[in-house]
């Protein structure tokens, strides 16, 4: 079992909109870990799948939308001592092309979703989401935020 019997490889999509909000989802009862926390959505990488393919597949399967990838953050350490899990995820900044709206397609894994201003995120956040949001803030401090959706 990835993340439990051996280190799991995962991807996430920090999806933003033209208002600068971040799309977050609340982990449901059947989520792999950190149930009840808010997260940047994503999932496991399958054997033979690229990171880019994996994140696009996960978002399509779980929320029914295509995403455009903008930037990739370096891989991180996602250690969950309470659940004895170890993951190595990478996160992509992404956006959803006009005309698409995410919907919850796997309600057992996702209890809620929403768009949130970066300075008004719901709590509790998952461990990796705290890391990814910090990386996103660093990214924005070096870039023009208006460029993200051009």
């Amino acid at each position: 079992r990835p993340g439990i019997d051996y280190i799991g490889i995962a991807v996430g999509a920090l999806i933003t909109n033209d208002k600068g909000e971040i799309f977050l989802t609340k982990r449901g009862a059947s989520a792999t870990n950190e149930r009840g926390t808010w997260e940047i959505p994503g999932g496991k990488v399958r054997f033979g799948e690229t990171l880019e393919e994996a994140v696009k597949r996960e978002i399509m399967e779980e929320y029914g939308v295509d995403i455009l990838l903008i930037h990739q953050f370096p891989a991180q350490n996602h250690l969950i001592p309470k659940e004895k899990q170890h993951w190595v995820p990478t996160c992509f900044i992404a956006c959803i092309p006009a005309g698409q709206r995410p919907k919850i397609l796997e309600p057992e894994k996702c209890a809620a979703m929403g768009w949130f201003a970066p300075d008004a995120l719901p709590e509790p956040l998952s461990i990796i989401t705290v890391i990814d949001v910090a990386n996103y803030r660093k990214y924005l401090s070096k870039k023009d935020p208006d460029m993200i959706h051009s």
Side-chain angles (χ1 to χ4, degrees):
R1 294 170 299 166
I4 298 168
D5 298 322
Y6 54 89
I7 298 169
I9 306 300
V11 289
L14 191 151
I15 302 169
T16 63
N17 63 20
D18 56 2
K19 297 176 189 172
E21 297 168 319
I22 298 172
F23 179 69
L24 295 179
T25 61
K26 189 172 187 180
R27 297 183 65 74
S30 295
T32 305
N33 51 48
E34 296 190 83
R35 291 171 199 90
T37 63
W38 287 87
E39 71 163 353
I40 290 165
K44 299 174 188 93
V45 178
R46 294 177 179 163
F47 185 82
E49 186 175 51
T50 67
L51 299 171
E52 295 83 0
E53 291 166 345
V55 74
K56 289 179 178 185
R57 174 188 51 77
E58 286 285 350
I59 300 305
M60 178 55 75
E61 286 176 359
E62 295 175 9
Y63 304 101
V65 293
D66 292 311
I67 55 172
L68 300 174
L69 303 179
I70 297 166
H71 178 78
Q72 181 181 359
F73 292 130
Q76 299 294 322
N77 298 300
H78 184 191
L79 304 173
I80 313 168
K82 288 182 183 176
E83 299 184 53
K84 296 184 171 103
Q85 291 193 34
H86 184 169
W87 294 88
V88 177
T90 188
C91 182
F92 293 86
I93 298 172
C95 65
I96 299 171
Q100 297 185 62
R101 292 182 183 260
K103 53 197 162 298
I104 298 172
L105 299 177
E106 296 179 348
E108 67 285 354
K109 292 182 182 177
C110 177
M113 65 179 192
W115 293 94
F116 302 91
D119 59 351
L121 300 178
E123 292 189 8
L125 294 175
S126 70
I127 294 166
I128 193 59
T129 297
V130 171
I131 294 167
D132 290 337
V133 168
N135 283 332
Y136 181 61
R137 287 184 173 129
K138 288 179 197 170
Y139 174 84
L140 287 180
S141 72
K142 296 176 185 173
K143 301 277 182 189
D144 177 357
D146 293 331
M147 296 294 290
I148 292 178
H149 294 283
S150 5

